[in-house]
Amino acid sequence: MKKEKIILTGDRPTGRLHIGHYVGSLKGRVELQNAGDYSKMFVFIADSQALTDNIDNPEKVRQNVIEVALDYLACGLDPEKATIFIQSQIPELCELTFYYMDLVSVSRLQRNPTVKTEIQMRNFEASIPVGFFTYPISQAADITAFRATTVPVGEDQEPMLEQAREIVRRFNHIYGETLVEPEILLPQNAACLRLPGTDGKAKMSKSLGNCIYLSDTADEIQKKVMSMYTDPGHIRVQDPGKIEGNTVFTYLDAFSRPEHFERYLPDYPNLAELKAHYQRGGLGDVKVKRFLNAIMQETLEPIRNRRKEFEKDIPGIYEMLRKGCEVARAAAADTLSDVKKAMKINYFDDKELIEEQARRFAANQ
Ligand code: ATP
Ligand code: MG
């Protein structure tokens, strides 16, 4: 029998979604959704996880739930095809997390490279909230609760997937085959694995303020593109320029397609030629940035316009999320029931146990 394909991903409501989310995960999800090559698809807004490092500002998380939902719909996620829900509304996830905590050691969590970087970024070295430290475990609960086989995410999520797989193997080893081992689905284009920020920092991230948001206005996009980090050594147009670590070229790797050259830069047949000219010298940053701006405007305009349409019915979006939560809760409850059965903590359904105990005590009468 062909294994069922169940897709799951989520985003933290710590801000509106940006083009890093788009190329790293969101675009792939919409393509998977439209290809229809799956049996179920779950997409969730990870508000509980967002609270783990935003406890000084829970209102930010609350405000951004709807922003993320709007970004989803604007990008083409379709509630008819994907269950869209809010993490905190599924209490079963907390229960699973609690049991999984017994399967992971503190030192294992400390080795997680993404969490290490995030701890530094948030100045948590002196005092890490326990919830934040253990979020990879709660993420394993999110994934396994829906029996996800496929998790389309950016490269920073690789250690989380590995942690989830370890938990699944350990659980199944102790309690018998119950949980499904998930696989990561990374973007195929290397530039999309971890899109850098407009400031050239390693990752575009809501928390770093170096983002182009999917909902930015045309003006904001242009300003951000025109002031982007390039090659600091490329001062005069005639100077040879570097491509490596040059954010503008990384974005072109991620976003440009052959037809963009035909439309906006017909002097160059393709990206390789543009790069070669930049490296030789004689090509100015402004020209390359103008080209990138044209591509970004073309890519983001339809998303922004669709978002505006969805913004007209906000109560309708909360209603869509409420229904999604209902469907998601039923699915998670089903897995939790299997988990409790496997762990033999389903005492009241376990007739054998009750009879066995009755016999044991009767023998001592
Ligand atoms: P925060 O700073 O609050 O952690 P974030 O910008 O890192 O926010 P997340 O909600 O943590 O965003 O990530 C959601 C999804 O988007 C994940 O699958 C992650 O891998 C992907 N993603 C986030 N940033 C990027 C990026 N710069 N490039 C590629 N994928 C990304
Ligand atoms: Mg993140």
Side-chain angles (χ1 to χ4, degrees), residues 250-270:
T250 311
Y251 284 23
L252 286 176
D253 278 328
F255 288 95
S256 74
R257 294 195 306 272
E259 63 264 31
H260 292 139
F261 284 88
E262 283 162 38
R263 269 206 284 283
Y264 306 117
L265 207 60
D267 298 350
Y268 296 86
N270 53 42

Side-chain angles (χ1 to χ4, degrees), residues 278-304:
Y278 191 83
Q279 283 170 314
R280 275 198 311 276
L283 175 59
D285 282 330
V286 171
K287 186 164 180 180
V288 189
K289 283 180 173 175
R290 284 211 182 111
F291 177 49
L292 176 63
N293 179 53
I295 297 174
M296 295 317 306
Q297 298 291 354
E298 181 187 305
T299 311
L300 297 180
E301 192 192 344
I303 296 177
R304 187 170 58 237

Side-chain angles (χ1 to χ4, degrees), residues 10-12 14 18 20-21 24-25 122 153-154 156-157 192-195 203-207:
D11 303 275
R12 297 149 40 90
T14 47
H18 54 64
H21 299 119
S25 167
R122 289 159 177 75
V153 282
D156 62 309
Q157 293 300 309
C192 303
L193 287 170
R194 187 183 302 240
L195 197 76
K203 182 174 173 286
M204 178 173 286
S205 172
K206 286 169 276 183
S207 315

Side-chain angles (χ1 to χ4, degrees), residues 9-26 29 46 49-50 53-54 60 118 121-122 135 151-158 187 191-197 202-208 211:
T9 44
D11 303 275
R12 297 149 40 90
T14 47
R16 290 172 290 145
L17 296 185
H18 54 64
I19 59 172
H21 299 119
Y22 184 68
V23 293
S25 167
L26 202 43
R29 288 180 221 172
Q49 190 192 112
D53 59 329
N54 284 287
K60 174 173 101 180
E118 289 176 338
M121 255 170 64
R122 289 159 177 75
Y135 92 74
V151 185
V153 282
E155 192 186 41
D156 62 309
Q157 293 300 309
E158 227 161 2
C192 303
L193 287 170
R194 187 183 302 240
L195 197 76
K203 182 174 173 286
M204 178 173 286
S205 172
K206 286 169 276 183
S207 315
L208 294 175
C211 309

